Amino acid sequence: MKISVCGKGGCGKSTLVTLLAKELAAMGKRVLVIDTDESNYGLHKQLGVELPEDFTAYFGGKQKVLGDMMMSNFTHQFFATTWGIDDIPASCSVEKDNIILMSSGKIHEANEGCACPMGTLMTQFIDHLTLGPDEYALIDMEAGIEHFGRGTNNGTDLVLMVVDPSFESLRLTGKIKELSESIDKPIRFVLNKVTPEIRQLMRNQVCDDTAIIAELPADGDLMTAGLIGAELDGGDGALKEAIRQLAVSLEASRDQFKDSFIADLA
Ligand SMILES: Nc1ncnc2c1ncn2[C@@H]1O[C@H](COP(=O)(O)OP(=O)(O)O)[C@@H](O)[C@H]1O
Ligand SMILES: [Mg+2]
């Protein structure tokens, strides 16, 4: 199952991707984590691995990819066939404990150009990615909704939006639901940084509270780990339990989500 994890900047996308990847791996799943966020450098730290070489480098680098796109009037296909996790070159992935991390690429220098080549490459890659029954792909999207404009969610099975306690985040739930439904993708909300005082207020402000699949508590240790760039383990309290329940419900509904994807293709 290919899951897009999206939401506004700082809502907790990379944190959720990391904790969910670790939980699914502990359940015996093989998890591909796809870092498509060109601006942030934190995900590999949270996973406790080195940042792999840009996937875009494997295709000749950003300028080459852009050239291929322009020469073909933006119709160039970078993938002739479907790809499995084992087809990802070792040079652009790192593996630890059944979690494989790959990264589309980062913005390295001022004036190097926009991130569109990386975005196009990853959109096509996700489209061509084929997973086995015990494999998951978790896609850490860039903040905001540009990835919907690019079509990066088209090849996924489920959109998971992380919602933090802010007006912008809660307002975005309506737009992301609308965008997901317009491409026939199921959408679920993960409330994050929840405290007992604001829990009900958050639920009331989400555009559709029946689509809330998990509530992750605000967690002091997680905040400290995020501050110093430490590897995350989720602790052994309420946060860990919420992640465990999320992983279990995703696994239990995978046929439902996959079916909706197959129905799209039919
Ligand atoms: N449930 C939580 N409790 C406390 N802090 C959190 C929680 N979730 C995320 N954070 C913190 O919020 C910050 C942003 O999280 P991050 O996952 O990097 O967001 P994003 O990837 O959406 O930009 C980090 O410092 C992280 O440690
Ligand atoms: Mg992030």
Side-chain angles (χ1 to χ4, degrees):
M1 179 152 66
K2 296 184 262 185
I3 302 176
S4 159
V5 177
C6 66
K8 84 173 218 338
C11 64
K13 297 177 291 297
S14 302
T15 300
L16 175 66
V17 164
T18 299
L19 296 178
L20 188 55
K22 291 190 170 201
E23 193 60 44
L24 289 166
M27 285 163 58
K29 309 294 170 190
R30 197 166 181 226
V31 187
L32 174 64
V33 172
I34 307 178
D35 184 357
T36 71
D37 185 341
E38 301 91 4
S39 301
N40 288 305
Y41 285 84
L43 179 62
H44 69 286
K45 291 279 202 185
Q46 294 175 325
L47 286 163
V49 296
E50 295 298 315
L51 182 66
E53 189 186 356
D54 295 353
F55 190 49
T56 313
Y58 181 72
F59 290 82
K62 208 170 105 176
Q63 292 309 325
K64 167 79 169 60
V65 169
L66 181 61
D68 288 344
M69 288 163 58
M70 289 171 69
M71 294 287 284
S72 65
N73 202 15
F74 298 92
T75 59
H76 188 80
Q77 291 299 315
F78 292 94
F79 302 90
T81 56
T82 58
W83 277 44
I85 295 179
D86 291 327
D87 296 322
I88 300 163
S91 62
C92 356
S93 61
V94 287
E95 178 158 8
K96 183 183 171 188
D97 300 334
N98 241 2
I99 299 174
I100 301 105
L101 171 67
M102 66 184 293
S103 167
S104 56
K106 301 291 173 192
I107 297 294
H108 297 286
E109 290 165 23
N111 301 316
E112 68 164 61
C114 74
C116 295
M118 277 108 88
T120 300
L121 193 64
M122 289 322 281
T123 297
Q124 292 190 14
F125 173 71
I126 291 163
D127 249 343
H128 285 79
L129 178 65
T130 305
L131 299 175
D134 281 325
E135 294 177 338
Y136 276 80
L138 302 181
I139 305 147
D140 190 9
M141 291 291 185
E142 80 227 36
I145 53 175
E146 190 179 346
H147 46 91
F148 278 101
R150 273 197 186 122
T152 315
N153 294 285
N154 295 355
T156 66
D157 301 311
L158 170 68
V159 176
L160 265 192
M161 180 190 175
V162 184
V163 185
D164 71 5
S166 68
F167 177 71
E168 274 305 329
S169 212
L170 287 152
R171 204 172 62 158
L172 200 57
T173 60
K175 188 67 198 174
I176 289 193
K177 182 169 190 273
E178 177 195 317
L179 290 166
S180 301
E181 289 178 351
S182 73
I183 52 168
D184 291 327
K185 299 299 165 194
I187 163 91
R188 295 290 182 275
F189 300 114
V190 175
L191 305 190
N192 191 25
K193 310 187 189 185
V194 179
T195 64
E197 298 77 29
I198 56 168
R199 174 177 178 265
Q200 197 54 50
L201 198 52
M202 281 181 85
R203 292 188 69 93
N204 294 348
Q205 302 286 323
V206 170
C207 67
D208 173 7
D209 65 357
T210 64
I212 298 172
I213 192 173
E215 293 178 6
L216 310 184
D219 184 285
D221 291 340
L222 191 61
M223 195 185 290
T224 305
L227 174 67
I228 61 174
E231 181 176 353
L232 306 183
D233 72 1
D236 56 9
L239 173 69
K240 180 81 170 176
E241 181 52 25
I243 293 284
R244 199 189 64 76
Q245 281 180 19
L246 172 61
V248 168
S249 38
L250 288 173
E251 181 62 11
S253 355
R254 63 178 293 140
D255 289 342
Q256 176 199 335
F257 294 135
K258 291 293 287 187
D259 278 353
S260 77
F261 180 58
I262 290 161
D264 291 349
L265 294 176

